[in-house]
Amino acid sequence: MLLLIGALTWWNAARLVDTFRWVEHTQEVIGDLNETLVEVLNMQVGARNYLLLGDETYLEAYRHAAAESRRRAAIVRQLTADQPAQRARIDALDPLLAEAAVRLQARIDLRQAQGVSTATEAKTSRSHDIIVRIRQTIGEMRRHEEQLLAQRSAAVVHALELTMACVVLGGALAIGLVTVAGILIGRDFRLRREAESKLERNRAMFESLFENAADGLIVVSPAGSIVRLNRTAERLFGHTRSALIGHPVEALLPEAFRAAHAAKNEDAPADGFAPALDERMDYVARRADGSTLPVEIMLSPLETDDGRVTLATVRDLTRRRAAEQKITQLNADLQRQNGQLTAAVAELEAFSYSVSHDLRAPLRHIDGFSALLGQHLNGNADETSTRYLDTIGHAAQRMGRLIDDLLAFSRAGRTPVKLEPVAHDHLLATVIRELNLSGSTAPIAWQIAPLPTLPGDPALLHQVWSNLVENAVKYSSKNPAPRIEIGAQLGPDGTEWIFFVRDNGVGFDMRHVDKLFGVFQRLHAMSEFPGTGIGLANVRRIVTRHGGRTWAEGVKGTGATFYFSLPRDAAAVAAVQPPAPAVAS
């Protein structure tokens, strides 16, 4: 912008100078025209005075004026050569000047030959007319030049104003640029000071971090000598800085390791960088008092103004080694206890299976003989005896169902999971066909969404669906319009499917939700809804063995929803399978 304004100012200045030159030229033309007219008048006056007085001095003035008028006219011709109008006027002026000179000279010659009376009596009207025409011609030329002078003076004023405007604008722009430059320089100076201050703070922070680091930090030169170290390194090795700086790093190693470490340094790369220690490994370091400590050393090459160095981070492994030994011991203890617990669980399951299996025969005898006794009495028993026999039979049957559920629960935890693709649509349809819906007071409105095919054990998953659907049917049986909804959706992370069974039955209080999946846990009396309290516990055990989860939601008097999830991948199911315990005979 400054260059543009400068160029415009230079152009205006050149134009102003040129306009000034033309103004001077016009003024010069006007001056020469005036001088020409003056000389014509002097020529007329000189001739008249000579005719009247006869004084040769006037004759000489006449002759000088005549010559000077011609010379001035020639100058005007030269100055107005570029103006056709003026050139035409000067062409008309030259003959008039010549004719005026001829007539005046004729009168002078008559004065010299015949005397003053004859010369003064000669007709002068023709000479006067010529002088008038000369004055008119010169007047026209002067008026033309004055018009040019006015135009050129106006151009000078305009050029001067434009030049001044350019100068003012350029000055203002220059001042603005200088101001902006000052602001930018000030900002750069401020930013530089801030950067220097930040750099100083970072340097101080680095120094603080270096000195207060939890690990020992040692800076080693390419030659393997110690350049600097922090307080932690002093504490670890028991040396002062002055005792270590400048010494080879091998001074921190036991003598048994120094030769091997020096040999490794001899194999350093040819680029001049020789690491003082191995890049990351465990070492045995030597303290000032001669004792040793296990350390982990990690190397980080650094580029500095003085060249490339190595930052060695030294970490004391004493506590870690002690913790590792303790963890190893705890793991061994845990494995031993886990083995003992596994054996105890296996023995307990075998015992419960054996007890449940052995109790079935006596219960069948009690139930059978109480029925035979009732038949034997053949209606001769009183009301109390009949009630006793019915109570014995019902209790034996309930105990039989409980034992059957216990055996199923035991088998669910002992039977190996046999993985194969399970079509849950078909499995659910089979369960519904097997249901005993005789206890339902009204038809059930089923709403079943499509279910996926997933890896699992079909026999075990059959028990899951059977228990959940039977519960939904049982607990919604007292609703005049029972409704059961079953569906599935992909989990948020895409690794599992979430199934649900929802009913509009009696529901439950969410304060007791943790009891639902426990063994023998019931939220309703036997008189309301029959059952053993093992079905949901069996559901959780089977789903858990498949790598899934179980949970429930409910509102008392409104209904309940039971959820369980199953992995999509067979490997996820297989990963949670423990070694199958031996099945007791």
Side-chain angles (χ1 to χ4, degrees):
M1 181 62 73
L2 279 177
L3 291 177
L4 179 62
I5 293 177
L8 182 60
T9 303
W10 176 83
W11 178 77
N12 279 320
R15 181 183 169 196
L16 179 63
V17 170
D18 186 64
T19 306
F20 266 124
R21 187 167 60 250
W22 282 109
V23 169
E24 291 176 354
H25 175 273
T26 304
Q27 290 175 343
E28 184 179 358
V29 172
I30 292 174
D32 287 332
L33 287 173
N34 291 333
E35 290 294 330
T36 301
L37 182 58
V38 168
E39 294 301 332
V40 169
L41 295 177
N42 287 338
M43 182 176 66
Q44 183 181 16
V45 171
R48 183 181 294 118
N49 289 337
Y50 177 74
L51 293 176
L52 294 174
L53 302 176
D55 189 348
E56 292 292 333
T57 304
Y58 295 112
L59 183 61
E60 187 64 29
Y62 158 75
R63 290 173 181 168
H64 174 77
E68 189 65 21
S69 64
R70 290 193 297 273
R71 187 181 72 81
R72 290 288 182 179
I75 292 174
V76 170
R77 174 180 291 279
Q78 183 180 2
L79 292 176
T80 60
D82 60 335
Q83 302 181 44
Q86 293 291 69
R87 193 165 57 247
R89 293 187 184 98
I90 199 68
D91 289 341
L93 181 64
D94 284 343
L96 293 175
L97 292 175
E99 186 177 356
V102 168
R103 289 188 177 278
L104 290 175
Q105 185 63 40
R107 293 182 66 187
I108 291 172
D109 292 342
L110 185 60
R111 167 72 171 78
Q112 291 176 343
Q114 298 181 10
V116 64
S117 60
T118 304
T120 55
E121 292 176 357
K123 293 184 178 180
T124 61
S125 61
R126 181 60 181 168
S127 299
H128 179 73
D129 292 341
I130 293 173
I131 295 300
V132 170
R133 291 175 60 188
I134 289 172
R135 294 179 66 177
Q136 290 176 347
T137 302
I138 292 175
E140 291 176 358
M141 294 183 70
R142 187 169 59 189
R143 283 192 297 274
H144 180 79
E145 291 298 327
E146 287 174 351
Q147 291 177 356
L148 288 178
L149 179 62
Q151 295 173 0
R152 289 169 178 172
S153 297
V156 167
V157 173
H158 179 69
L160 183 61
E161 291 175 349
L162 187 59
T163 302
M164 289 299 297
C166 291
V167 170
V168 171
L169 181 61
L173 184 60
I175 292 173
L177 289 177
V178 169
T179 302
V180 172
I183 293 174
L184 293 177
I185 292 173
R187 187 190 66 176
D188 291 342
F189 182 70
R190 185 180 69 256
L191 292 176
R192 182 175 179 180
R193 284 190 303 176
E194 292 176 356
E196 290 176 351
S197 176
K198 185 176 181 180
L199 181 62
E200 185 62 29
R201 291 196 302 271
N202 289 340
R203 184 181 295 110
M205 182 178 67
F206 171 77
E207 291 291 336
S208 177
L209 290 175
F210 183 86
E211 286 297 329
N212 300 306
D215 296 327
L217 299 177
I218 302 175
V219 180
V220 184
S221 70
S225 60
I226 298 174
V227 177
R228 64 178 300 185
L229 65 156
N230 67 350
R231 287 196 293 264
T232 305
E234 288 183 296
R235 179 179 54 80
L236 283 178
F237 296 103
H239 288 281
T240 61
R241 300 187 191 198
S242 59
L244 290 177
I245 292 177
H247 290 76
V249 74
E250 286 84 4
L252 301 177
L253 300 177
E255 294 184 2
F257 294 94
R258 293 180 183 178
H261 186 269
K264 290 180 181 180
N265 282 345
E266 294 177 358
D267 297 331
D271 62 356
F273 174 66
L277 299 172
D278 292 332
E279 291 212 345
R280 188 184 182 111
M281 64 179 299
D282 293 348
Y283 259 84
V284 176
R286 179 178 179 273
R287 291 191 177 96
D289 59 3
S291 62
T292 60
L293 73 157
V295 294
E296 180 187 70
I297 298 178
M298 181 177 65
L299 300 182
S300 301
L302 299 175
E303 294 290 343
T304 66
D305 295 338
D306 299 327
R308 197 178 187 190
V309 297
T310 301
L311 175 65
T313 303
V314 184
R315 180 168 296 172
D316 187 357
L317 298 182
T318 303
R319 293 185 178 180
R320 182 194 294 181
R321 292 289 172 80
E324 288 174 352
Q325 293 177 358
K326 187 174 182 179
I327 291 173
T328 301
Q329 183 62 39
L330 290 174
N331 284 335
D333 294 342
L334 183 60
Q335 290 177 358
R336 184 176 64 256
Q337 294 175 5
N338 188 44
Q340 294 174 354
L341 181 60
T342 301
V345 169
E347 291 177 359
L348 181 60
E349 288 187 347
F351 173 74
S352 63
Y353 184 85
S354 177
V355 169
S356 299
H357 185 272
D358 292 343
L359 285 176
R360 296 180 72 184
L363 284 174
R364 284 198 300 269
H365 291 165
I366 294 173
D367 186 29
F369 280 109
S370 64
L372 289 176
L373 181 58
Q375 295 174 5
H376 177 72
L377 293 175
N378 194 19
N380 295 322
D382 57 17
E383 183 181 350
T384 302
S385 299
T386 302
R387 187 175 69 251
Y388 289 165
L389 289 175
D390 290 340
T391 301
I392 292 172
H394 292 158
Q397 291 172 9
R398 182 174 178 276
M399 181 62 72
R401 289 193 299 271
L402 183 58
I403 289 174
D404 289 340
D405 289 344
L406 282 173
L407 288 173
F409 183 74
S410 178
R411 282 193 298 270
R414 294 157 53 85
T415 304
V417 175
K418 299 177 182 179
L419 292 180
E420 61 181 77
V422 177
H424 286 262
D425 277 327
H426 300 306
L427 190 60
L428 177 61
T430 301
V431 168
I432 293 176
R433 283 197 305 270
E434 295 172 353
L435 282 177
N436 179 13
L437 302 179
S438 59
S440 300
T441 58
I444 299 174
W446 296 92
Q447 185 177 348
I448 302 175
L451 302 179
T453 297
L454 298 175
D457 188 314
L460 294 177
L461 293 175
H462 182 280
Q463 295 183 47
V464 171
W465 282 112
S466 180
N467 282 319
L468 292 177
V469 174
E470 285 180 0
N471 275 358
V473 171
K474 177 171 60 176
Y475 289 108
S476 63
S477 60
K478 295 185 178 182
N479 192 312
R483 184 181 68 255
I484 297 177
E485 181 183 354
I486 300 174
Q489 61 183 9
L490 192 62
D493 58 358
T495 62
E496 63 180 5
W497 277 88
I498 299 174
F499 299 84
F500 66 89
V501 178
R502 181 177 295 118
D503 63 69
N504 62 345
V506 295
F508 61 88
D509 191 338
M510 284 296 290
R511 292 178 298 176
H512 308 303
V513 67
D514 294 335
K515 297 181 179 180
L516 285 175
F517 294 95
V519 180
F520 304 131
Q521 297 293 328
R522 293 179 52 84
L523 302 183
H524 302 280
M526 281 287 297
S527 59
E528 292 183 284
F529 301 99
T532 60
I534 297 178
L536 290 179
N538 209 19
V539 168
R540 171 162 286 182
R541 171 171 281 199
I542 294 172
V543 171
T544 301
R545 292 198 64 193
H546 281 77
R549 301 172 293 122
T550 56
W551 67 99
E553 298 173 354
V555 178
K556 193 171 183 180
T558 300
T561 304
F562 288 84
Y563 299 90
F564 69 94
S565 66
L566 293 176
R568 298 177 63 188
D569 188 7
V573 182
V576 297
Q577 301 308 312
V583 179
S585 59

Coordinates of all heavy atoms in Angstrom, one line a residue, residues 313-345:
T313 N 16.9 -44.2 34.5 CA 15.9 -44.2 35.6 C 16.1 -45.5 36.5 O 16.0 -46.6 36.0 CB 14.5 -44.2 35.1 OG1 14.3 -43.1 34.2 CG2 13.5 -44.1 36.2
V314 N 16.5 -45.3 37.7 CA 16.8 -46.4 38.6 C 15.7 -46.6 39.6 O 15.4 -45.6 40.4 CB 18.2 -46.2 39.3 CG1 18.5 -47.4 40.1 CG2 19.2 -45.9 38.3
R315 N 15.1 -47.7 39.7 CA 14.0 -48.0 40.6 C 14.4 -49.1 41.6 O 14.8 -50.2 41.2 CB 12.7 -48.4 39.8 CG 11.5 -48.7 40.7 CD 10.3 -48.8 39.8 NE 10.0 -47.5 39.2 CZ 9.1 -47.3 38.3 NH1 8.3 -48.3 37.9 NH2 8.9 -46.1 37.7
D316 N 14.2 -48.8 42.8 CA 14.5 -49.8 43.9 C 13.4 -50.9 43.9 O 12.2 -50.6 44.0 CB 14.5 -49.1 45.2 CG 15.0 -50.0 46.4 OD1 15.3 -51.2 46.1 OD2 15.1 -49.5 47.5
L317 N 13.9 -52.1 43.7 CA 13.0 -53.3 43.6 C 12.9 -54.1 44.9 O 12.3 -55.1 44.9 CB 13.4 -54.2 42.5 CG 13.4 -53.7 41.1 CD1 13.8 -54.8 40.1 CD2 12.1 -53.1 40.7
T318 N 13.4 -53.5 46.0 CA 13.4 -54.2 47.2 C 12.0 -54.5 47.7 O 11.6 -55.7 48.0 CB 14.1 -53.4 48.3 OG1 15.5 -53.2 47.9 CG2 14.2 -54.2 49.6
R319 N 11.1 -53.5 47.7 CA 9.8 -53.7 48.2 C 9.0 -54.6 47.2 O 8.2 -55.4 47.5 CB 9.1 -52.4 48.3 CG 9.6 -51.6 49.5 CD 8.8 -50.3 49.7 NE 9.3 -49.5 50.8 CZ 8.7 -48.4 51.2 NH1 7.7 -47.9 50.6 NH2 9.2 -47.7 52.3
R320 N 9.3 -54.4 45.9 CA 8.5 -55.1 44.9 C 8.9 -56.6 45.0 O 8.0 -57.5 44.9 CB 8.9 -54.6 43.5 CG 8.1 -55.4 42.4 CD 8.6 -55.2 41.0 NE 8.5 -53.8 40.6 CZ 8.9 -53.4 39.4 NH1 9.4 -54.2 38.5 NH2 8.7 -52.1 39.0
R321 N 10.2 -56.9 45.2 CA 10.6 -58.3 45.3 C 9.9 -58.9 46.5 O 9.4 -60.1 46.5 CB 12.1 -58.4 45.4 CG 12.8 -58.0 44.1 CD 12.6 -59.1 43.1 NE 13.2 -58.6 41.8 CZ 14.4 -58.7 41.5 NH1 15.3 -59.1 42.3 NH2 14.8 -58.3 40.3
A322 N 9.9 -58.2 47.6 CA 9.2 -58.7 48.8 C 7.7 -58.9 48.6 O 7.1 -59.9 49.0 CB 9.4 -57.7 50.0
A323 N 7.1 -57.9 47.9 CA 5.7 -58.1 47.5 C 5.4 -59.3 46.6 O 4.5 -60.0 46.7 CB 5.2 -56.8 46.9
E324 N 6.4 -59.4 45.6 CA 6.2 -60.6 44.7 C 6.3 -61.9 45.4 O 5.6 -62.8 45.1 CB 7.3 -60.5 43.6 CG 7.0 -59.3 42.6 CD 8.2 -59.2 41.6 OE1 9.2 -59.9 41.8 OE2 8.0 -58.4 40.6
Q325 N 7.3 -62.0 46.4 CA 7.4 -63.2 47.1 C 6.1 -63.4 48.0 O 5.6 -64.6 48.1 CB 8.6 -63.1 48.0 CG 9.9 -63.1 47.3 CD 11.1 -63.0 48.2 OE1 10.9 -62.8 49.4 NE2 12.3 -63.0 47.7
K326 N 5.6 -62.3 48.5 CA 4.4 -62.5 49.3 C 3.2 -62.9 48.4 O 2.4 -63.8 48.8 CB 4.0 -61.2 50.0 CG 2.9 -61.3 51.0 CD 2.7 -60.0 51.8 CE 1.6 -60.1 52.8 NZ 1.4 -58.8 53.6
I327 N 3.1 -62.3 47.2 CA 2.0 -62.7 46.3 C 2.1 -64.1 45.9 O 1.2 -64.8 45.8 CB 2.0 -61.7 45.1 CG1 1.6 -60.3 45.5 CG2 1.1 -62.2 44.0 CD1 1.7 -59.3 44.4
T328 N 3.4 -64.5 45.6 CA 3.6 -65.9 45.2 C 3.1 -66.9 46.3 O 2.5 -67.9 46.1 CB 5.1 -66.2 44.9 OG1 5.5 -65.3 43.9 CG2 5.3 -67.6 44.5
Q329 N 3.5 -66.5 47.6 CA 3.1 -67.3 48.7 C 1.5 -67.3 48.9 O 0.9 -68.4 49.1 CB 3.7 -66.8 50.0 CG 3.4 -67.6 51.2 CD 3.9 -69.1 51.1 OE1 5.0 -69.3 50.6 NE2 3.2 -70.0 51.6
L330 N 0.9 -66.1 48.7 CA -0.5 -66.0 48.8 C -1.2 -66.8 47.7 O -2.2 -67.5 47.9 CB -1.0 -64.6 48.7 CG -0.6 -63.7 50.0 CD1 -1.0 -62.3 49.7 CD2 -1.4 -64.2 51.2
N331 N -0.6 -66.8 46.5 CA -1.2 -67.6 45.4 C -1.1 -69.1 45.7 O -2.1 -69.8 45.4 CB -0.5 -67.3 44.1 CG -0.9 -65.9 43.5 OD1 -2.0 -65.4 43.8 ND2 0.0 -65.3 42.7
A332 N 0.0 -69.5 46.2 CA 0.1 -70.9 46.6 C -0.9 -71.3 47.6 O -1.6 -72.3 47.5 CB 1.5 -71.2 47.1
D333 N -1.0 -70.4 48.7 CA -2.0 -70.7 49.7 C -3.4 -70.7 49.1 O -4.3 -71.5 49.5 CB -1.9 -69.6 50.8 CG -0.6 -69.7 51.6 OD1 0.0 -70.8 51.5 OD2 -0.3 -68.7 52.2
L334 N -3.7 -69.7 48.2 CA -5.0 -69.6 47.6 C -5.3 -70.9 46.8 O -6.4 -71.4 46.8 CB -5.1 -68.4 46.7 CG -6.5 -68.1 46.1 CD1 -7.6 -68.0 47.2 CD2 -6.5 -66.9 45.2
Q335 N -4.3 -71.3 46.0 CA -4.5 -72.5 45.2 C -4.8 -73.7 46.1 O -5.7 -74.6 45.8 CB -3.3 -72.8 44.3 CG -3.2 -71.8 43.2 CD -1.9 -72.0 42.4 OE1 -1.1 -72.9 42.7 NE2 -1.8 -71.2 41.3
R336 N -4.1 -73.8 47.2 CA -4.3 -74.9 48.1 C -5.7 -74.9 48.7 O -6.4 -75.9 48.8 CB -3.2 -74.9 49.2 CG -3.3 -76.1 50.2 CD -2.2 -76.1 51.2 NE -2.2 -74.9 52.0 CZ -1.4 -73.9 51.9 NH1 -0.5 -73.8 51.0 NH2 -1.6 -72.8 52.8
Q337 N -6.1 -73.6 49.1 CA -7.4 -73.5 49.7 C -8.5 -73.7 48.7 O -9.5 -74.3 49.0 CB -7.6 -72.1 50.3 CG -6.7 -71.9 51.5 CD -6.7 -70.4 52.0 OE1 -7.5 -69.7 51.5 NE2 -5.9 -70.1 53.0
N338 N -8.2 -73.3 47.4 CA -9.2 -73.5 46.4 C -9.4 -75.0 46.1 O -10.5 -75.5 45.9 CB -8.8 -72.8 45.1 CG -9.8 -72.8 44.1 OD1 -11.0 -72.6 44.3 ND2 -9.5 -73.1 42.8
G339 N -8.3 -75.7 46.1 CA -8.3 -77.1 45.9 C -9.1 -77.8 47.0 O -10.0 -78.7 46.8
Q340 N -8.9 -77.3 48.3 CA -9.6 -77.9 49.4 C -11.1 -77.6 49.3 O -11.9 -78.4 49.6 CB -9.0 -77.3 50.7 CG -7.6 -77.8 51.0 CD -7.0 -77.1 52.2 OE1 -7.6 -76.2 52.8 NE2 -5.8 -77.5 52.6
L341 N -11.4 -76.3 48.9 CA -12.8 -75.9 48.8 C -13.5 -76.7 47.7 O -14.6 -77.1 47.8 CB -12.9 -74.4 48.5 CG -14.3 -73.8 48.4 CD1 -15.1 -74.1 49.6 CD2 -14.2 -72.3 48.0
T342 N -12.8 -76.9 46.6 CA -13.4 -77.6 45.4 C -13.7 -79.1 45.9 O -14.7 -79.6 45.6 CB -12.4 -77.6 44.2 OG1 -12.2 -76.3 43.8 CG2 -13.0 -78.4 43.1
A343 N -12.7 -79.6 46.6 CA -12.9 -81.0 47.1 C -14.1 -81.1 48.1 O -14.9 -82.0 48.0 CB -11.6 -81.5 47.7
A344 N -14.2 -80.0 49.0 CA -15.3 -80.0 49.9 C -16.6 -79.9 49.2 O -17.6 -80.5 49.6 CB -15.1 -78.9 50.9
V345 N -16.7 -79.0 48.2 CA -17.9 -78.8 47.5 C -18.3 -80.1 46.8 O -19.5 -80.5 46.7 CB -17.8 -77.6 46.5 CG1 -18.9 -77.6 45.5 CG2 -17.6 -76.3 47.2

